[in-house]
Amino acid sequence: MPDKIYIPIFRIHIGRFLLLLLTFISLFAVRPFLEGYVGINFLMDVFVSAVLISGMYAAAEKRSTFIIGLIIGLPALMIQWSTYLFKTPVLPIVRELMGVIFCAYLAFVIVRLIFREDRVTFDLINGAICVYFLIGLMFSSIFAVLEGVHPGSFNMPDINLTHVQHFTYFSYVTLTTLGYGDIVPLSNEARSLAILESMIGQLYIAVTIARLV
């Protein structure tokens, strides 16, 4: 298992999870300001796809772990890219379901690595932060699937955003227990999932800090 990933083009070594963490940060801090540029969005999708695969490789302790990640991740990526070609209502739901499975598996692999390592390093802390981002992404996909299967599960503001953008925002607001209240879960299933995510967010921080400290 590599301690660092080598980028031959730039001839530099970076931590296993630093690139993944920087991708998450750019995804939320940069991409919203570039939504109108289709070409940039396309390049961002390419970049995110490549980094998620590299993150799985970096976290995998065995080749079998990496292969399982590819088996889960590649269909999700294929469905993601197929949405550029086919506009059917089923594809987004299948895409989000595959995203849930992939994020959950990648988070599990990284968490297992965190609790197995004897020495706490800067990159290990980066990995722990990446898991927090992955939890938010996973629940955003779960909320999107729920709304797709049972429309009206959420009361959302009437602004020009896709369901994915709405639920990504709602997921991280719930995960951090900010609770702005502009998006409200209405159904029992939606409320239960929101409670579950907020509890996972608080428990993850407490348990992870205890482990690292």
Side-chain angles (χ1 to χ4, degrees):
M1 180 181 61
D3 291 330
K4 295 183 179 180
I5 297 176
Y6 177 63
I7 303 179
I9 298 177
F10 301 99
R11 296 186 176 182
I12 58 174
H13 290 80
I14 61 173
R16 287 174 292 180
F17 301 114
L18 180 59
L19 183 59
L20 185 59
L21 177 59
L22 291 176
T23 303
F24 282 130
I25 293 174
S26 64
L27 188 64
F28 296 110
V30 178
R31 186 168 185 171
F33 299 96
L34 304 174
E35 288 291 340
Y37 301 93
V38 178
I40 293 179
N41 284 335
F42 181 82
L43 291 177
M44 283 291 293
D45 283 337
V46 173
F47 182 61
V48 171
S49 300
V51 171
L52 285 176
I53 296 298
S54 67
M56 174 60 67
Y57 172 74
E61 298 179 271
K62 299 178 182 179
R63 181 176 297 180
S64 59
T65 306
F66 178 61
I67 292 175
I68 294 173
L70 285 180
I71 293 174
I72 299 173
L74 287 180
L77 293 177
M78 290 174 63
I79 295 173
Q80 168 67 31
W81 291 108
S82 66
T83 56
Y84 283 94
L85 302 174
F86 307 102
K87 302 296 182 181
T88 59
V90 179
L91 274 180
I93 296 177
V94 177
R95 178 194 63 197
E96 298 302 331
L97 282 174
M98 296 301 298
V100 170
I101 298 172
F102 182 75
C103 287
Y105 183 72
L106 181 54
F108 168 76
V109 172
I110 298 176
V111 167
R112 185 174 62 178
L113 177 64
I114 292 172
F115 281 87
R116 285 187 177 181
E117 287 289 326
D118 296 327
R119 184 167 56 93
V120 177
T121 62
F122 174 71
D123 200 53
L124 198 67
I125 296 175
N126 289 336
I129 299 173
C130 287
V131 172
Y132 197 68
F133 278 108
L134 285 167
I135 293 172
L137 284 179
M138 181 181 69
F139 271 94
S140 69
S141 295
I142 292 175
F143 293 140
V145 170
L146 179 62
E147 180 65 22
V149 176
H150 297 289
S153 295
F154 296 86
N155 181 25
M156 292 179 287
D158 188 18
I159 55 178
N160 188 23
L161 292 176
T162 64
H163 277 182
V164 174
Q165 293 170 319
H166 275 301
F167 292 126
T168 299
Y169 163 76
F170 175 71
S171 177
Y172 284 99
V173 168
T174 303
L175 184 66
T176 55
T177 65
L178 285 175
Y180 288 128
D182 48 350
I183 299 178
V184 181
L186 299 178
S187 67
N188 290 331
E189 296 86 353
R191 290 175 178 175
S192 297
L193 287 171
I195 292 172
L196 179 62
E197 182 180 16
S198 62
M199 292 177 64
I200 289 176
Q202 297 305 302
L203 290 174
Y204 175 78
I205 292 175
V207 173
T208 304
I209 290 178
R211 165 65 183 92
L212 295 177
V213 172

